[in-house]
Amino acid sequence: MSGAVDTSTPVQPPEFPQRLGHPRPLWMLFMTEFWERFAFYGMRWALTLYIVAQFFGGDAAGQASASRTYGAFLALVYATAIFGGYVADRVIGYQRSILVGAVVSAIGYFMVVVPDHTLFLLGLATIIVGNGLFKPNISAQVGQLYAQGDARRDSGFTIFYMGINAGAFVAPIITGLLAERFGGPDMPAYKAVFLAAGIGMLISTVWFWFGRHQLGGIGRPPAGAEGPTRVLAVLAGVVLAVPLVYFLMSIDAGILLWILAALFVGLCVVVLAEGVREGPVNRDRALAMLVIFAFNVLFWMFFEQAGSSFNFLAQNIVNRDFGGFEFQVGWFQSVNPIAILVLAPVFAWLWVRLGRANPSIPRKFGLGLILNGLAFLLLMYALSSLVDPATHKIPFWTLFMVYVIQTAGELCLSPIGLSMVTKLAPVRVVGLAMGGWFLSTAIGNNLSGIFAGHVSGEGGMTVASAQAGYTFGFYALVGAGVLLFLIAPLIQRWMHGVK
């Protein structure tokens, strides 16, 4: 998840010492982000499985509730990122925002270790609030290391992006091994997972604490706000925000959906009104952007089955046995980041190689939706034709390839989202429009939990329920992708030459 885009007047960075051709602080930020992503993805795969095991006594009837909690968690992670950039820009600066967010997140990770449902949800709420302060601002710090026009900027973000995916790759493998190693009545497996995630977040905090001096004045508090008063005010805001997020986590997922949708509609009205005020060209561009936001909701609704229904599919319906060696459920979560590292250079080369035939923004989004749909088509085929009559399970390779195909779809859509907003949004509301992008993703994530709950049904996932749910996913995604291809010429006209 990328963070806020700095639309303020650029500040000339100091002459940093160089390491491997880049400013030395880049590598400190790389490792800070690596350990934060280790914590997040190390815990993320286990959430739904833990909820069912701990709070429903292993009863499969708890799968639907677990999926809805997971969807709400991801939705609010994205939604709170909207406010993190504001706090950094206007209140306490980027460095202090990252530190406060890291400490708050670490507290949340250790809270979820305690096997109490209320404290568990409070822990998730604490992680959400901490993530909102941490995640968007550390990405912004990377951009601030380079002067305007520095040709190394894109390469620096590529290196930083590798840190994100390296942490996401190793985390499920390590925490999955810990879950297997320490599983038992005295030390529940998922407790070891959450402890490891909390330790990872502590390492991230300490790494940034000792490394931040490398940044010099980059990301320091605004002039006149160097004292502790504003930090204390932000901490007070955190204390107030955690119960609010807890409340949003606790209510019905459908109600949360209406709240997020109302915020999104209000935001869209403001952005479109500003576009109308700026004239027909900006009005059309704003409209094109908002239409793509709607399709973005659908993409993430089905993509984020990874931590919910795909978990239950892997646990109960996928054959993970390799002659006595069992592939851990959590390890499937490592397929996406390693596939990104492998496929991202391929897609970057492909877009350049196509030259003038390079697909437009709406067609790339449409291709992303269709590829996501093809992943569900593979599941439809597996669940209808490849179920082993003896074990009632589908082959391992099918779910593995689902993650790979979905990653290809993600690479068509996700990398261009933030860039698209900066190109199409009315100048005076770029930050607000960026919030719309995150809100559309948040709504998709919340819908992913609701959809996963329907896939599991009241009694837990079966081959029949999975096949029915994923069949719907296929038709919805491919239908939306084809529709977007058909209306792409209209959207391109509205974009008025923006590529």
Side-chain angles (χ1 to χ4, degrees):
M1 181 179 69
S2 182
V5 173
D6 184 8
T7 59
S8 61
T9 303
V11 177
Q12 186 72 15
E15 290 293 330
F16 290 112
Q18 303 295 297
R19 179 173 296 169
L20 299 179
H22 287 273
R24 189 175 68 172
L26 173 66
W27 306 100
M28 180 273 295
L29 296 173
F30 175 100
M31 290 307 300
T32 301
E33 178 72 357
F34 172 92
W35 285 109
E36 189 274 334
R37 291 291 89 182
F38 175 92
F40 185 81
Y41 284 96
M43 176 202 70
R44 175 176 171 263
W45 72 265
L47 276 180
T48 52
L49 302 176
Y50 172 76
I51 292 170
V52 172
Q54 181 64 47
F55 304 122
F56 291 89
D59 188 345
Q63 291 178 7
S65 177
S67 294
R68 288 190 289 269
T69 298
Y70 171 81
F73 171 72
L74 281 189
L76 292 168
V77 160
Y78 275 89
T80 54
I82 300 168
F83 304 102
Y86 177 85
V87 171
D89 271 334
R90 306 293 179 86
V91 186
I92 61 174
Y94 289 87
Q95 291 188 28
R96 289 181 174 183
S97 294
I98 292 168
L99 277 174
V100 172
V103 171
V104 171
S105 294
I107 293 170
Y109 281 111
F110 287 113
M111 288 173 67
V112 299
V113 175
V114 181
D116 175 84
H117 191 253
T118 299
L119 199 58
F120 173 76
L121 290 181
L122 277 171
L124 291 182
T126 305
I127 293 169
I128 289 167
V129 173
N131 186 86
L133 289 167
F134 182 100
K135 194 67 181 74
N137 296 318
I138 193 165
S139 300
Q141 286 267 259
V142 174
Q144 293 164 353
L145 299 178
Y146 300 89
Q148 289 297 111
D150 191 328
R152 300 173 301 164
R153 180 189 291 261
D154 286 349
S155 175
F157 269 104
T158 299
I159 292 170
F160 182 72
Y161 189 59
M162 289 174 65
I164 294 173
N165 285 286
F169 169 66
V170 302
I173 295 174
I174 293 174
T175 56
L177 288 171
L178 290 172
E180 181 184 25
R181 171 67 178 82
F182 292 105
D186 298 324
M187 179 63 168
Y190 298 122
K191 183 179 289 187
V193 171
F194 300 146
L195 281 172
I199 291 169
M201 196 65 235
L202 281 181
I203 294 173
S204 176
T205 306
V206 172
W207 202 286
F208 187 78
W209 172 266
F210 286 105
R212 74 191 193 284
H213 68 88
Q214 300 177 22
L215 295 166
I218 299 296
R220 296 294 299 274
E226 294 84 357
T229 305
R230 291 195 178 189
V231 175
L232 294 175
V234 170
L235 289 173
V238 167
V239 172
L240 294 174
V242 168
L244 174 61
V245 175
Y246 168 81
F247 168 75
L248 294 174
M249 289 280 296
S250 304
I251 62 177
D252 183 82
I255 298 175
L256 176 60
L257 177 62
W258 281 107
I259 294 172
L260 293 173
L263 289 172
F264 180 68
V265 170
L267 183 148
C268 290
V269 169
V270 172
V271 170
L272 189 57
E274 180 62 25
V276 170
R277 193 191 68 81
E278 292 185 6
V281 171
N282 286 308
R283 177 202 63 201
D284 290 350
R285 286 176 176 171
L287 188 59
M289 179 184 67
L290 296 178
V291 169
I292 291 176
F293 280 1
F295 286 96
N296 188 54
V297 169
L298 195 66
F299 180 88
W300 294 106
M301 171 182 174
F302 295 102
F303 183 89
E304 279 300 345
Q305 296 307 300
S308 51
S309 72
F310 286 179
N311 258 355
F312 298 122
L313 185 76
Q315 184 183 52
N316 302 312
I317 303 178
V318 174
N319 184 359
R320 297 178 285 111
D321 180 55
F322 292 89
F325 168 76
E326 185 175 68
F327 190 90
Q328 299 297 309
V329 171
W331 294 354
F332 281 105
Q333 307 294 310
S334 293
V335 178
N336 172 255
I338 195 64
I340 286 176
L341 293 174
V342 172
L343 294 177
V346 176
F347 275 81
W349 170 85
L350 178 63
W351 302 142
V352 173
R353 183 73 178 81
L354 287 172
R356 296 177 64 87
N358 191 1
S360 64
I361 288 175
R363 285 203 167 102
K364 282 181 179 175
F365 266 75
L367 183 59
L369 286 161
I370 290 171
L371 284 169
N372 197 357
L374 292 179
F376 282 85
L377 178 63
L378 177 56
L379 284 177
M380 288 169 55
Y381 170 68
L383 291 164
S384 63
S385 304
L386 300 180
V387 178
D388 188 308
T391 62
H392 302 289
K393 294 185 176 182
I394 61 176
F396 165 86
W397 68 267
T398 55
L399 183 57
F400 184 94
M401 286 307 301
V402 163
Y403 280 96
V404 174
I405 298 169
Q406 281 196 320
T407 301
E410 179 187 4
L411 288 170
C412 291
L413 177 148
S414 187
I416 64 172
L418 295 176
S419 175
M420 174 198 69
V421 172
T422 62
K423 294 174 181 177
L424 295 179
V427 175
R428 284 162 44 101
V429 291
V430 171
L432 191 64
M434 199 67 67
W437 170 261
F438 284 121
L439 265 180
S440 69
T441 304
I443 293 169
N445 287 333
N446 189 57
L447 283 168
S448 76
I450 296 172
F451 173 72
H454 286 298
V455 173
S456 289
E458 295 299 323
M461 181 181 289
T462 63
V463 170
S465 71
Q467 183 179 355
Y470 297 149
T471 298
F472 171 78
F474 163 72
Y475 284 112
L477 285 164
V478 172
V482 170
L483 174 61
L484 191 48
F485 260 90
L486 292 174
I487 65 173
L490 173 62
I491 296 176
Q492 285 175 253
R493 283 201 298 274
W494 287 345
M495 292 165 62
H496 292 278
V498 170
K499 301 295 184 182

